[in-house]
Amino acid sequence: MPNVAFVNGAFMPLAEAKVSIEDRGFQFGDGVYEVIRTYKGCPFSLDAHLARLDRSAAALNLPQPYSRADWTHHILEGIKQAAYPEAKIYLQITRGVAPRDHAYSDDATPTVVMTVREFHPLDRSVQATGVEAMTTEDIRWGRCDIKSVNLLANVLARQRVRQAGVFEAILVNGGVMTEGAISNVMVVQGGMVVTTPEGARILSGVTRAIVLDLARSAGVSVQERFVSQAELYEADEVFLTGTTVEVLAVVRVDEKTIGTGRPGPITQRLAESFTNRID
Ligand code: PLP
């Protein structure tokens, strides 16, 4: 059964899945989500994703309807039913159905949705050459650490990316970069990996944490601090991290060439360590 959906405990074909127009996720973006991918059919870093889902839900005072064990069970079942070589699993919890009122009732029953679709990894040639990015103003709200379904600012940034024919938008706020519209961003300066610190300005990426660990274990220094837009342009290397992009070199930003214009040695080393980690 391709493209599987799961709605409030029941599996069904995606085309048959429905939620109410009074769902607060639809009306207010009052909900949280996760995106997980499989490697060789196994969900990658599932515990870290479920832990972040717990944190996001708790930050919105949203009851978490399933234990980690229950989520794991449903996710594995979804992967099995969809039977794709590689799958992208989307989890969403919203505050459920209620007559429209901004304030919510504490006893609302959450709506829980999961979809399992085929995942198409990036072409290896894209990883070999690196990608181009553009900067754009970070107009998001003040709690980007919550993986909320309120993604309008990201939607607008990604649309600009599509129109510009580049790969990702690097969000800039007050002259410093925060992260990408769908990824975290790291730069390399004099052999050191520098990236925005965890906090309300960015999503704490699961891949970000793994890559920083890999860098430290390889003896590469890591500095977590804000990087200015000028430093971004002048960096020796720039790369993105994320579930769908893994470790991906950025070789041009706003038509300025980064380093040599090819994926740099530290990016390549971390991309390779990431692949080994997956294996
Ligand atoms: N930052 C944003 C805004 C994202 O949307 C994502 C992933 O979707 C990431 C960072 C990377 O997070 P992860 O590595 O957990 O996929």
Side-chain angles (χ1 to χ4, degrees):
M1 180 167 77
N3 286 352
V4 168
F6 169 94
V7 182
N8 296 326
F11 279 100
M12 62 198 72
L14 185 63
E16 288 170 22
K18 291 189 174 49
V19 292
S20 165
I21 62 162
E22 292 223 288
D23 194 277
R24 292 180 60 92
F26 177 61
Q27 298 207 333
F28 296 108
D30 186 358
V32 296
Y33 76 106
E34 274 300 322
V35 177
I36 303 159
R37 65 155 292 182
T38 63
Y39 287 99
K40 296 183 184 151
C42 296
F44 183 66
S45 285
L46 183 57
D47 277 354
H49 283 283
L50 292 178
R52 187 171 62 191
L53 186 65
D54 279 348
R55 288 200 305 277
S56 296
L60 299 186
N61 189 27
L62 195 59
Q64 166 59 276
Y66 295 127
S67 66
R68 296 222 190 139
D70 287 343
W71 266 124
T72 304
H73 172 79
H74 297 316
I75 291 166
L76 294 179
E77 178 59 26
I79 293 170
K80 195 167 112 193
Q81 288 197 16
Y84 286 125
E86 296 300 358
K88 180 155 128 175
I89 300 124
Y90 176 80
L91 312 179
Q92 181 180 292
I93 308 170
T94 70
R95 208 177 305 271
V97 178
R100 190 174 185 282
D101 181 1
H102 288 66
Y104 58 85
S105 149
D106 282 332
D107 57 11
T109 306
T111 300
V112 188
V113 166
M114 169 169 71
T115 61
V116 184
R117 291 168 178 273
E118 185 162 18
F119 181 75
H120 300 280
L122 275 183
D123 208 275
R124 288 285 148 203
S125 66
V126 175
Q127 294 200 312
T129 54
V131 297
E132 188 167 350
M134 62 188 282
T135 58
T136 187
E137 183 73 14
D138 188 349
I139 58 167
R140 298 175 303 163
W141 72 322
R143 286 300 304 274
C144 302
D145 54 320
I146 301 171
K147 202 163 167 68
S148 131
V149 295
N150 265 285
L151 288 171
L152 196 49
N154 307 59
V155 166
L156 296 177
R158 290 295 299 172
Q159 188 61 17
R160 293 193 61 195
V161 158
R162 178 179 284 180
Q163 284 160 352
V166 297
F167 186 87
E168 175 63 312
I170 298 179
L171 306 178
V172 174
N173 187 331
V176 296
M177 73 166 195
T178 51
E179 62 181 328
I182 56 159
S183 61
N184 291 112
V185 183
M186 305 195 180
V187 304
V188 178
Q189 284 178 336
M192 184 187 292
V193 171
V194 189
T195 194
T196 312
E198 284 186 295
R201 304 299 332 167
I202 64 162
L203 182 75
S204 293
V206 168
T207 321
R208 174 190 182 280
I210 294 171
V211 170
L212 291 183
D213 261 5
L214 290 170
R216 289 187 183 103
S217 343
V220 176
S221 315
V222 170
Q223 210 177 44
E224 294 180 66
R225 64 163 176 85
F226 286 96
V227 171
S228 72
Q229 192 165 351
E231 284 180 289
L232 171 68
Y233 295 143
E234 283 155 22
D236 302 328
E237 303 176 35
V238 176
F239 60 94
L240 310 175
T241 66
T243 296
T244 54
V245 300
E246 302 178 320
V247 176
L248 183 61
V250 175
V251 293
R252 276 167 82 77
V253 180
D254 296 340
E255 299 181 1
K256 294 180 175 57
T257 300
I258 303 299
T260 61
R262 311 247 337 131
I266 292 192
T267 307
Q268 284 181 326
R269 194 160 146 203
L270 291 173
E272 208 177 292
S273 315
F274 188 74
T275 307
N276 293 339
R277 170 71 179 267
I278 291 159
D279 288 343

